[in-house]
Amino acid sequence: MHQILFLFEGRRRVKKLVLLVAMLLMVLATAGVSLAQSEDSVSDTELSEAAQDTGADGSTTTAAGEEDLVKALVDNVNAFWESEFALRGYLYSPAGVSFVYDEPVDGVCGPFYPTYGPGYCPLDTTLYYPVDWLYEGRDLADYGEAALGWAVAHELGHHTQQQLDALGIQGWFSIPLEQAELQADCFAGAWARQAGEDFGDGGVEAVLNAMANAGGPGHGTTEQRISSFRLGYDTGDIAQCLAPTETVPAG
């Protein structure tokens, strides 16, 4: 599980200059982006319906069902951050999602393999998700669909950190790697609080159980990850997730 929700170590070694150039291009490209939710995003109700696309044994039975669930989660997390940014007078550019099937996808951050967990690429601002990861023999399936919500929200937390950096607010490239990973867990907790019933089957307890096996190099200990997620979930305040020396304007 320590590989779950991980921008793989090789990709983390992409030259910082390249990442900063990509960030600058992203800021220029998003300067005119509207805060309105895109027409193809899904509502909380649709998110719940996607999560309920289950078979008789209680598990999603098709790749399409899993894709629908992931798309719904990505839209929901994007909508959460769009609202948080708008409250503070900022523009938020939504992350995209790309699915990995039987063969690796050679993205701009390098290859994404179907046997790996979800990963975020900062160079194309896209979440790469391996279809069947949740239900076909992966550890996360044991914890329920809420754990998938945590996975998606954590990876899009890196997308948010990238934009906070571009705005001059503390984010992914401004803090040590381990702290950035823990911050992404805190952001995921803040999202989960507002998601409510749409968070998925099992709720917070499913995530905490999954986190019991999620500590590892570069991500913090199990205790640290649980504490970070709970901080975001208990307060619902993204400012609590930032480093003590940094602040984000109140909503």
Side-chain angles (χ1 to χ4, degrees):
M1 286 292 293
H2 66 274
Q3 290 184 338
I4 291 175
L5 323 174
F6 187 58
L7 180 62
F8 311 115
E9 291 298 330
R11 299 185 188 111
R12 292 186 184 282
R13 298 190 183 100
V14 175
K15 290 183 179 180
K16 190 171 183 179
L17 177 60
V18 176
L19 296 179
L20 292 175
V21 170
M23 288 166 52
L24 177 59
L25 293 175
M26 179 193 71
V27 173
L28 294 175
T30 59
V33 173
S34 170
L35 290 175
Q37 187 171 349
S38 62
E39 292 181 358
D40 60 349
S41 63
V42 298
S43 66
D44 289 347
T45 299
E46 289 171 307
L47 173 59
S48 180
E49 290 174 350
Q52 293 171 6
D53 183 14
T54 57
D57 61 353
S59 62
T60 298
T61 57
T62 65
E66 187 174 0
E67 289 179 35
D68 288 345
L69 177 58
V70 171
K71 289 177 182 177
L73 285 166
V74 169
D75 278 340
N76 193 275
V77 177
N78 274 329
F80 167 74
W81 283 112
E82 187 173 70
S83 176
E84 290 291 329
F85 273 49
L87 285 172
R88 294 162 174 84
Y90 299 130
L91 293 173
Y92 172 81
S93 178
V97 59
S98 180
F99 292 102
V100 181
Y101 298 96
D102 295 332
E103 300 295 330
V105 172
D106 191 14
V108 294
C109 287
F112 286 85
Y113 293 92
T115 54
Y116 288 178
Y120 173 70
C121 175
L123 297 181
D124 62 3
T125 64
T126 297
L127 169 69
Y128 288 83
Y129 181 85
V131 175
D132 289 336
W133 179 65
L134 179 59
Y135 300 108
E136 295 297 326
R138 271 60 168 194
D139 291 339
L140 202 64
D142 295 335
Y143 302 104
E145 291 175 345
L148 176 58
W150 162 53
V152 170
H154 173 102
E155 292 301 331
L156 266 61
H158 293 318
H159 178 66
T160 299
Q161 290 168 336
Q162 185 175 354
Q163 294 187 62
L164 291 177
D165 266 321
L167 290 168
I169 302 170
Q170 171 253 296
W172 198 359
F173 306 116
S174 305
I175 55 179
L177 172 61
E178 183 173 292
Q179 186 178 349
E181 294 294 343
L182 293 173
Q183 184 181 78
D185 284 329
C186 186
F187 284 163
W191 166 79
R193 181 183 179 90
Q194 65 80 41
E197 293 181 357
D198 294 319
F199 187 20
D201 296 339
V204 175
E205 291 306 315
V207 173
L208 298 182
N209 289 334
M211 281 186 165
N213 294 318
H219 283 72
T221 66
T222 293
E223 292 75 16
Q224 288 174 317
R225 299 200 72 176
I226 290 175
S227 177
S228 295
F229 179 87
R230 295 246 36 153
L231 175 63
Y233 185 83
D234 291 342
T235 66
D237 181 6
I238 63 170
Q240 297 297 316
C241 302
L242 300 182
T245 57
E246 304 290 343
T247 59
V248 62

